[in-house]
Amino acid sequence: MTNQDDFSNVISFVNGALDVPSSPIIPYIEGDGIGIDITNYVKEIVDKAVYISYSGDRTILWKEVLAGEKAYNKVGQWLPNETMDAFRKYLVGIKGPLTTPIGEGIRSLNVALRQELDLYVCLRPVRWFEGVATPLLHPEKVHVTIFRENTEDIYAGIEWAAGTPELKKVLNFLQNEMGVAKIRFPESSSIGVKPVSVEGTERLVRAAIEYAIENKLPSVTLVHKGNIMKFTEGGFKKWGYGLAEREFSDTTFTENTFNKIKVEKGLESAVSAYNTAMTEGKVFIKDVIADAFLQNTLLKPEEYSVIATLNLNGDYISDQMAAMVGGIGIAPGANINYKTGHAIFEATHGTAPDIAGQNIANPCSMLLSAVMMLDYIGWSEAGSKITKSLEMMFKKGHATNDLARFMHDGTSLSTSDFANELINLL
């Protein structure tokens, strides 16, 4: 809307909170593939919701920045420094889907953005909209917010390919200096290492617990594979419990504490302590092995409200739970650093180049991410209007074809018709 770069239009982070002007500059990346179909409509819907909610007293000053194929075609770089500088300066931004360049030295543009800005939380709220077809009998029981660690584990993984000189050095070290003898086929194996730290775990779990407390949610579940990876994923569990018991003893009760009381005083005392804590409104901190969790979410999803997990587990969990409520097309996401205020909201799906430019793409993932963005900057009234309008449309069976074809009496709308109807409902 404007390129004016006045300091008064820049969001700042003061004493741990965002200071948002009435007309903040928000950088956006259009995105590759269907980015050209959805991004402008998302901006249009957001602008309308903001205008209606605040009678014209607030507005977003959109600032386009380049990344992906559009950036490469225009300036010869997949992720220009100017784009990173814009996200650093303006703190809050949004992006469409980005392709992953092959052979260009960047494993993933999305990962690069998260790593460069240290966006250590991948935040994925999952809920069902009435009218959307799902494989579950009771999708209304799914209401989960996932905190996925965004900078460690496989995102910081180090790998060596089988047969390379580097791999031979690693094998020599492991076998001859560390005494490792359980690599079954060393000559043909590739090897990877993943780091999981105390600091990385604690800041992720801290954010999840604070979210649960602020939103009066009953539990935070630490999801891990610590029964096998005892020092990385097992460390995540151990350090997560330690953080809860050290920093949130007045507002949480942990499964770890429950088990200690049971051993020392018996089951009846442990149950009594748990019941007292729940009566006082404390958040229950528990843990579950990742494979069991994936089963449990299908059988009893109502038992989970906030999830804190490592990177790879979070990747699986986010996509499964999105499928449980209708698919990734309505799954929003954000990447946040709660210590600096930096946040990038994003479409969670791919670029879908096969349907790009055909006016049939579903804008809801990016749109619901924009709702998250509005909530993040304190403009929740505007976000609520968008969400309520979506609820009305889905309840009527009005959606883009990817959703409407599975709905009872669904009506397939083009991207533009979907956006226009939603705007009218605002």
Side-chain angles (χ1 to χ4, degrees):
M1 293 167 66
T2 179
N3 289 321
Q4 183 180 0
D5 197 3
D6 191 311
F7 180 76
S8 63
N9 298 120
V10 177
I11 297 173
S12 57
F13 194 66
V14 182
N15 297 323
L18 291 177
D19 184 4
V20 182
S22 59
S23 297
I25 297 171
I26 293 185
Y28 72 94
I29 296 170
E30 180 182 69
D32 299 322
I34 58 172
I36 62 172
D37 298 288
I38 64 175
T39 301
N40 284 334
Y41 286 119
V42 167
K43 289 164 51 190
E44 186 177 344
I45 293 167
V46 169
D47 286 342
K48 186 69 171 181
V50 169
Y51 180 83
I52 292 172
S53 298
Y54 308 112
S55 303
D57 291 333
R58 295 179 181 177
T59 185
I60 291 175
L61 306 181
W62 299 102
K63 179 183 179 68
E64 183 175 12
V65 293
L66 299 176
E69 291 179 352
K70 190 172 184 178
Y72 189 78
N73 291 336
K74 284 194 171 186
V75 299
Q77 294 178 309
W78 291 96
L79 186 60
N81 291 333
E82 292 80 5
T83 296
M84 293 303 309
D85 291 342
F87 284 123
R88 286 192 185 95
K89 178 177 181 179
Y90 299 112
L91 294 186
V92 177
I94 191 167
K95 56 178 281 297
L98 289 175
T99 191
T100 297
I102 298 174
E104 295 292 335
I106 298 178
R107 181 169 57 179
S108 164
L109 294 172
N110 294 319
V111 173
L113 286 166
R114 295 165 187 168
Q115 293 281 357
E116 286 290 325
L117 295 171
D118 196 23
L119 304 175
Y120 58 88
V121 169
C122 179
L123 186 65
R124 295 282 294 271
V126 182
R127 58 153 293 185
W128 178 63
F129 288 88
E130 184 178 353
V132 175
T134 87
L136 296 190
L137 290 175
H138 295 287
E140 72 279 0
K141 294 181 179 181
V142 181
H143 209 298
V144 174
T145 302
I146 302 163
F147 282 72
R148 170 190 176 192
E149 207 291 319
N150 222 8
T151 63
E152 296 193 312
D153 194 17
I154 61 167
Y155 270 10
I158 307 161
E159 293 186 304
W160 297 275
T164 61
E166 294 80 8
L167 188 279
K168 291 179 180 178
K169 289 181 182 179
V170 173
L171 276 174
N172 180 65
F173 171 74
L174 290 174
Q175 293 174 326
N176 297 327
E177 295 192 40
M178 298 298 292
V180 174
K182 59 183 180 180
I183 302 175
R184 189 174 296 274
F185 304 109
E187 296 304 317
S188 61
S189 292
S190 295
I191 291 178
V193 176
K194 70 173 192 177
V196 178
S197 71
V198 175
E199 294 88 345
T201 296
E202 288 188 346
R203 65 182 186 174
L204 184 280
V205 174
R206 183 182 294 113
I209 293 174
E210 288 174 345
Y211 179 90
I213 293 171
E214 181 180 349
N215 291 279
K216 296 181 172 25
L217 297 171
S219 68
V220 174
T221 304
L222 309 175
V223 182
H224 60 91
K225 193 64 178 171
N227 57 327
I228 302 299
M229 291 173 277
K230 298 186 182 297
F231 302 117
T232 50
E233 305 224 358
F236 179 86
K237 169 191 169 182
K238 173 185 174 183
W239 302 324
Y241 274 135
L243 180 281
E245 292 164 0
R246 186 176 70 251
E247 294 188 10
F248 297 95
S249 59
D250 293 337
T251 51
T252 68
F253 181 80
T254 72
E255 185 177 9
N256 197 39
T257 298
F258 178 92
N259 290 332
K260 288 179 182 177
I261 296 173
K262 184 170 70 171
V263 169
E264 295 172 1
K265 300 181 179 180
L267 177 60
E268 186 175 342
S269 294
V271 171
S272 176
Y274 169 81
N275 289 335
T276 298
M278 297 304 100
T279 301
E280 294 172 350
K282 292 186 177 182
V283 177
F284 186 45
I285 313 298
K286 54 186 176 177
D287 78 278
V288 64
I289 303 299
D291 47 319
F293 175 81
L294 293 173
Q295 175 183 230
N296 291 347
T297 52
L298 293 172
L299 298 174
K300 44 187 178 181
E302 67 275 11
E303 292 194 0
Y304 301 103
S305 53
V306 179
I307 306 304
T309 191
L310 298 100
N311 186 273
L312 183 57
N313 295 333
D315 201 3
Y316 302 147
I317 289 166
S318 296
D319 281 11
Q320 177 190 288
M321 301 208 74
M324 289 165 59
V325 296
I328 203 167
I330 54 171
N335 303 283
I336 303 173
N337 184 321
Y338 288 100
K339 294 182 178 180
T340 65
H342 287 94
I344 298 178
F345 299 82
E346 64 181 357
T348 60
H349 51 70
T351 58
D354 55 319
I355 62 168
Q358 298 180 35
N359 194 28
I360 60 175
N362 179 359
C364 289
S365 175
M366 190 175 183
L367 181 59
L368 287 167
S369 296
V371 170
M372 292 177 67
M373 182 186 76
L374 291 168
D375 290 342
Y376 185 70
I377 66 173
W379 296 10
S380 56
E381 298 86 356
S384 179
K385 286 188 181 299
I386 295 172
T387 301
K388 288 177 180 177
S389 296
L390 277 175
E391 289 172 344
M392 293 170 64
M393 290 187 67
F394 290 147
K395 194 171 183 179
K396 291 190 299 181
H398 289 196
T400 49
N401 185 61
D402 60 314
L403 297 178
R405 59 184 170 163
F406 299 116
M407 291 174 163
H408 178 68
D409 292 331
T411 300
S412 293
L413 302 176
S414 67
T415 310
S416 55
D417 287 342
F418 180 88
N420 290 332
E421 182 174 335
L422 197 151
I423 288 171
N424 289 333
L425 286 171
L426 290 172

